[in-house]
Amino acid sequence: MTVHLFGIRHHGPGSARALATALAELRPDVVLIEGPPEADKVVELAASEEMEPPVALLAYAVDDSARAAFWPFAVFSPEWQAVRYGLAAGVPVRFCDLPAAYQFAGEPKERRKGLAVDPLAEMARAGGYDDPERWWDDVVEHRRDGAPPFEVIADAMGELRAGEMAEGREAQREAYMRTVLRKAIREGFERIAVVCGAWHVPALTEPLPPATHDQRILKGLPKSKVACTWVPWTHGRLATASGYGAGVTSPGWYHHLFTAPDHVTTRWLTRVAQVLRKKDLPVSSAHVIEAVRLAETLAALRERPLAGLSEMTEATRAVLCNGNDVLLDLVTREAVVGELLGSVPPETPQAPVAADLAAQARRLRMRRDATERLVDLDLRKPNDLAKSRLLHRLRILGVDWGEPAEAERQNTGTFRETWALLWEPGLEVDLVAAGAHGTTVLGAATTVMLAAAADSSTLAEVTAALERSLLADLPDALPELLRGVDTRAAKDADVGHLMAALPALSRSARYGDVRGNNTAGLTEVAERMVARVCAGLGRTVHGLDAEAAAKVLALIEGVQEATSLLSATVRDEWLETLQGLSDRATVPPLITGRLTRLMLDADRLDSAEVALRLGRALTPGVETNAAAAYVEGFLAGRGLLLIHDERLLELVDRWLAAVPDEAFLEVLPLLRRTFGTFAPPERRSIGEKARGLGLATKAADVADLEDERAAAALPVVRLLLGIPA
């Protein structure tokens, strides 16, 4: 019986290549791999042709899905090569790390605790390198031939760990690894291959400590019930930049190192050129040839066995990107990191909600992409409507596969939606968590909305939940939400609450029929709420300070938009109320300014009346801050008013010119905020018109000069210009 220890680095292409060679020569009877033993039940799925890395083992606590962990594998991961070898050779494949059942039951801080020593940094320092990654690439990852380096790595790790005992979670992990190894020895396997992180090799080297030693370490550890499965993964999530502790900086480059059969440098720089050409950038074959020559020359000067990523990057920047770091960032995203999404076979065990989503996605032909893409949905088409409902249901469950996005072209009507779709592997955990609410996407979303109907404390919360339920088509949740809206609207006497609830309610009443939902009764409820708002709005806007006025103004604008979706009678009642308040002295100037503008937009005030009101608000006797607030309310977002009505522009211009110096700095933030809402072309046009006003004013002033005073200045002007008297 012999035990062969293969110390590897997670996600290392050189380690993976060396391990595949070593296993083929050794032909072990059993393969033990660092990983959760719960995965032993699903490891056979890795033999499927439909299993395409990158993939990950997902383990989660059955009673608390928030406690979950991933063990990712890429094609260049040594553990993946060990799994595929064992399954192809027909020998048992077992995982030997501390079970997830123990890890999830312990304290989260224990699981996050790192090593006291960075072994790569120590060995790189001993080898005369100041960069551990570069040292490891030179001695391991860039090796494409020669003897596997496992014995040398084991000796180095033994020296680093001499006299050092593992503690805490590391001690528990290594104790369990030895327990699994002893079991394999007792079962009589002749050749045992152990694939683990290089740091653990000294702890598994014979002679092993007594079994009782490890039993004491593992005794009394709490356990939780754990489920385990395979899920797709991405190269982006393998990168250290994603926060993955065992990640690598360049998964796309490592994938290339492992899969390229020959001419590594040439093939890589050709791929980089393809990335740039897809962006319509001029990169020729001559560029590639020169970049290859530069990368290989740099590697020779630095005495590296192969041009590494640093040489490739320098050649890319200098030759292919012409020194442009923006283009280099593009290459890093598209090639160095890459965004490859793996796949798992259909028979992979899944949480019920995840299985339901997978079935619906196949039926609706919605593919999971690791890169964001925009999708336009026409809600008049049954298939697109079903996609929209599915995405809205997932958002209710906190599974944000899709985010509503701005369309690239202006949509008319309410029959179109645009979504930005991006599948993140972490959404698998969210699907597991959604299982607490039901076994299907529809059932779980309905449960969440029924809970919202029961738990919502305000009318606005209920109407928001109702709108979401209509978008997601949750027929079983609608009756309870409708009752909640009706009862809360009848009981709630706070005008602000009614105003906050109206926008969502009016949208639901107006557009529910677009999706085939039954919204009978919603319009009647909304109209009753508008009537109550109109009756109480005068008290609500009376005597507010600046902060409160801004909040109430936002509510008024929401109701203004909401009433445009209701009947003409309700709209007229609302506008009559606003018109009555638009010139009331007790209403804050910010609000009266906006109400005056709304009346102008609705053709309820003519431009002469508006100019009169604006002039009155900007007279010298009005406090500067109050005048600035009126201007902000009146003009915000509507620069065209000043462009097309010169009287209003002249009023504002004169007021600005008359603002005292000591008060100007005080009102400047308000003015900047107001004019900042205008589009750049509007601001430019306003400036040009204001400059014209200034010239006209100066001409008038010159014309009005007294003749005697002008005559007194003429001799001096003649003298300055050299004109004889």
Side-chain angles (χ1 to χ4, degrees), residues 112-187:
R112 291 196 297 264
K113 189 176 181 181
L115 298 176
V117 177
D118 181 354
L120 284 189
E122 293 296 325
M123 290 191 290
R125 190 176 298 111
Y129 283 73
D130 57 0
D131 183 354
E133 294 291 335
R134 183 179 173 190
W135 173 82
W136 183 263
D137 283 348
D138 283 356
V139 300
V140 178
E141 307 306 349
H142 290 172
R143 292 171 59 101
R144 300 184 66 85
D145 50 21
F150 297 113
E151 290 186 7
V152 176
I153 293 173
D155 290 342
M157 291 298 172
E159 290 296 324
L160 287 174
R161 293 193 59 170
E164 179 178 331
M165 297 293 293
E167 298 178 356
R169 186 63 83 194
E170 287 301 307
Q172 295 168 1
R173 293 178 63 196
E174 292 177 352
Y176 196 87
M177 290 181 189
R178 290 190 292 265
T179 300
V180 176
L181 178 55
R182 290 191 193 94
K183 181 180 177 182
I185 293 172
R186 288 197 305 271
E187 292 179 17

Side-chain angles (χ1 to χ4, degrees), residues 270-281 327 330-332 334-335:
T270 300
R271 180 184 174 192
V272 170
Q274 290 171 347
V275 168
L276 295 172
R277 285 171 181 165
K278 285 181 181 178
K279 302 298 181 181
D280 295 328
L281 297 169
L327 296 182
L330 169 67
V331 171
T332 300
E334 300 283 338

Side-chain angles (χ1 to χ4, degrees), residues 308-327:
L309 184 58
S310 60
E311 287 76 27
M312 299 290 192
T313 300
E314 291 177 40
T316 299
R317 177 190 284 113
V319 180
L320 302 183
C321 297
N322 293 318
N324 189 327
D325 283 338
V326 174
L327 296 182

Side-chain angles (χ1 to χ4, degrees), residues 9 106 138-139 144 224 254 416 433:
R9 185 191 184 190
D138 283 356
V139 300
R144 300 184 66 85
S224 61
Y254 273 8
R416 190 175 296 277

Side-chain angles (χ1 to χ4, degrees), residues 544-562:
L544 300 175
D545 62 19
E547 184 178 352
K551 292 179 180 179
V552 171
L553 180 58
L555 295 175
I556 290 174
E557 290 178 333
V559 178
Q560 173 75 2
E561 181 181 352

Side-chain angles (χ1 to χ4, degrees), residues 211-356:
T212 54
H213 172 268
D214 294 335
Q215 290 169 2
R216 283 195 300 271
I217 295 176
L218 300 172
K219 185 178 180 180
L221 288 180
K223 294 181 67 175
S224 61
K225 189 176 181 181
V226 169
C228 190
T229 187
W230 291 97
V231 296
W233 204 249
T234 67
H235 274 178
R237 296 281 295 221
L238 274 173
T240 51
S242 70
Y244 173 43
V248 292
T249 57
S250 49
W253 164 247
Y254 273 8
H255 180 88
H256 174 77
L257 275 181
F258 185 79
T259 56
D262 52 24
H263 302 297
V264 175
T265 303
T266 303
R267 291 178 184 273
W268 174 257
L269 291 171
T270 300
R271 180 184 174 192
V272 170
Q274 290 171 347
V275 168
L276 295 172
R277 285 171 181 165
K278 285 181 181 178
K279 302 298 181 181
D280 295 328
L281 297 169
V283 179
S284 67
S285 300
H287 284 94
V288 176
I289 293 170
E290 186 58 34
V292 170
R293 183 181 294 117
L294 176 57
E296 292 179 343
T297 301
L298 288 173
L301 290 172
R302 295 167 181 174
E303 299 181 345
R304 304 194 70 180
L306 181 73
L309 184 58
S310 60
E311 287 76 27
M312 299 290 192
T313 300
E314 291 177 40
T316 299
R317 177 190 284 113
V319 180
L320 302 183
C321 297
N322 293 318
N324 189 327
D325 283 338
V326 174
L327 296 182
L328 188 64
D329 288 341
L330 169 67
V331 171
T332 300
R333 290 195 310 272
E334 300 283 338
V336 177
V337 174
E339 203 49 274
L340 182 65
L341 176 66
S343 62
V344 298
E347 62 270 21
T348 302
Q350 293 178 303
V353 175
D356 179 53

Side-chain angles (χ1 to χ4, degrees), residues 590 593-594 597 627-637 670 673-674:
L590 176 69
R594 183 59 55 86
R597 220 278 305 290
Y630 193 96
V631 169
E632 180 184 6
F634 183 79
L635 292 178
L670 290 176
R673 186 168 63 203
T674 301

